[in-house]
Every structure is written in C-alpha cells, then in structure tokens.
C-alpha cells in the first residue's frame, strides 16, 4: 500500500490525480475487467538469475499460481486492457520474440535503456506508441492537464542536469 500512497502523492504534485484510478490486486485476475489508455507492463523477471543466461525467453516469465508467461500476459493485456503497451523487459530478451508480439503490418519500437554506456533493460512500444516519436505525442495528449509551470520547471531541471553531466577533460579545469 505504501507504493500506492507514493503514486497518489506524485500525481497530486503533477496535477493529474483526477486522471488516475488506483487499483490494488492481482493483475492477472483483474485484467479482464480493466480498460486503459496505456499500460506499462513490467512483470517479474525471475530474480537476478535472468542476467546469467545468454538470452531471456518470454516463457521464462512465470507468474506464480497462474498459467501466465510473458507472451500470454502481453496478449491478454492487448486483448482486454489496451493495445498501447510499453513492455519493460530484461536487456537479453530475444528480439524476435518481441517483434512477433506485434501483429503483421504493425510496428513495434524497441528502446535499449543504458546506464554508463551499458544496456540495462529494454522498453518495447506497441500500438499507437510505436513509431518515430509517437510515444511522446500520445503521452502529451494524455497529460494536457499538467500545469505549464510544472512542465517548464521540469525542462529547466533536465537542462541543468545535462549541463552538469558534461564531460570535462582531466587536464582542464572547469570554469567558474
């Protein structure tokens, strides 16, 4: 319940509290009753052992006490909840399995998330989110109620962060 309280707090800060419904329960039992604009699907990967294998198979996602693996979880989410899915997966997930989740003639966009030049995970975008820049356009439509001053503040924070992360050669001192 602590995570739900934190999520509510964050939504209140960004002025979108009235756009979010919080549900606490077993997703596999509730998904047939849910409807959403976007689903961020982040199933358990099976602990740290996923990283010891050369590849990660969607069949390796086994939700306890259910018949769900990674493929069935995705397909039922698409069928019942939303076609717009962001699937958060391990870095070593088989690419062909990700691509085959999308129906023929539909795009899938795969993003490799890196920290310190090392790929740590994958986000695969499906539905209206796939394609060059579609995710951000779709997200902006959904978040039109965020007060402009918060958006500007966030952009300024990002700009400051970019400046503070610039590479400074060892033989040169940073100008003050």
């Amino acid at each position: 319940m602590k995570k739900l309280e934190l999520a509510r707090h964050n939504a209140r800060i960004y002025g979108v509290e009235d756009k979010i419904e919080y549900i606490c329960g077993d997703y596999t039992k509730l998904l047939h009753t849910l409807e959403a604009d976007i689903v961020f699907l982040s199933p358990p990967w099976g602990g740290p052992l996923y990283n010891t294998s050369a590849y990660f198979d969607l069949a390796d996602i086994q939700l306890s006490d259910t018949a769900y693996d990674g493929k069935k979880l995705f397909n039922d989410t698409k069928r019942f909840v939303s076609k717009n899915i962001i699937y958060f997966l391990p870095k070593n997930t088989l690419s062909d399995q990700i691509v085959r989740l999308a129906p023929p003639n539909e795009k899938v966009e795969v993003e490799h998330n890196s920290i310190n030049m090392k790929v740590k995970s994958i986000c695969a975008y499906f539905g209206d989110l796939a394609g060059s820049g579609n995710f951000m356009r779709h997200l902006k439509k959904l978040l039109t109620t965020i007060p402009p001053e918060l958006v500007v503040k966030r952009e300024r924070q990002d700009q400051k962060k970019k400046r503070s992360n610039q590479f400074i050669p060892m033989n040169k001192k940073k100008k003050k």
Side-chain angles (χ1 to χ4, degrees):
M1 285 306 246
K2 181 73 173 161
K3 289 181 183 180
L4 285 179
E5 291 169 24
L6 293 171
R8 281 189 184 100
H9 173 74
N10 288 341
R12 211 173 8 262
I13 288 172
Y14 288 101
V16 293
E17 187 176 20
D18 62 324
K19 294 221 172 246
I20 301 171
E21 180 182 356
Y22 299 90
I23 301 168
C24 184
D26 184 336
Y27 180 73
T28 60
K29 292 178 181 155
L30 293 171
L31 71 86
H32 299 87
T33 65
L34 301 174
E35 190 177 309
D37 295 315
I38 297 174
V39 174
F40 185 84
L41 197 57
S42 179
W45 300 342
L49 293 179
Y50 80 89
N51 204 20
T52 60
S53 177
Y55 64 89
F56 183 83
D57 190 315
L58 291 176
D60 292 339
I61 296 173
Q62 292 294 322
L63 302 180
S64 60
D65 301 328
T66 70
Y68 279 93
D69 66 4
K71 186 176 177 182
K72 181 172 173 37
L73 183 66
F74 176 88
N75 288 331
D76 279 4
T77 297
K78 183 175 180 176
R79 181 175 171 207
F80 296 109
V81 186
S82 177
K83 69 176 184 170
N84 301 314
I85 299 171
I86 304 167
Y87 207 172
F88 186 66
L89 295 164
K91 64 183 178 184
N92 53 343
T93 304
L94 293 168
S95 298
D96 65 319
Q97 287 187 339
I98 295 171
V99 171
R100 281 188 270 148
L101 289 172
N105 302 321
E106 277 194 28
K107 292 180 182 179
V108 57
E109 183 176 344
V110 177
E111 172 184 86
H112 293 85
N113 306 305
S114 301
I115 298 175
N116 296 326
M117 304 298 287
K118 291 185 179 184
V119 176
K120 297 294 182 180
S121 61
I122 293 171
C123 277
Y125 299 86
F126 297 88
D128 296 337
L129 307 176
S132 182
N134 283 349
F135 170 68
M136 289 310 294
R137 278 194 295 277
H138 196 75
L139 189 60
K140 283 178 184 174
K141 279 188 217 172
L142 291 173
L143 299 178
T144 54
T145 61
I146 293 180
E149 61 274 10
L150 286 177
V151 175
V152 172
K153 184 178 178 184
R154 175 60 190 226
E155 287 173 359
R156 286 189 193 130
Q157 287 174 343
D158 289 346
Q159 288 170 355
K160 285 179 186 176
K161 191 182 286 186
K162 284 179 188 173
R163 275 187 257 139
S164 68
N165 290 338
Q166 291 174 342
F167 175 73
I168 302 168
M170 294 298 284
N171 58 355
K172 292 186 180 180
K173 292 184 178 179
K174 187 176 181 179
K175 292 180 183 179
K176 292 185 180 181

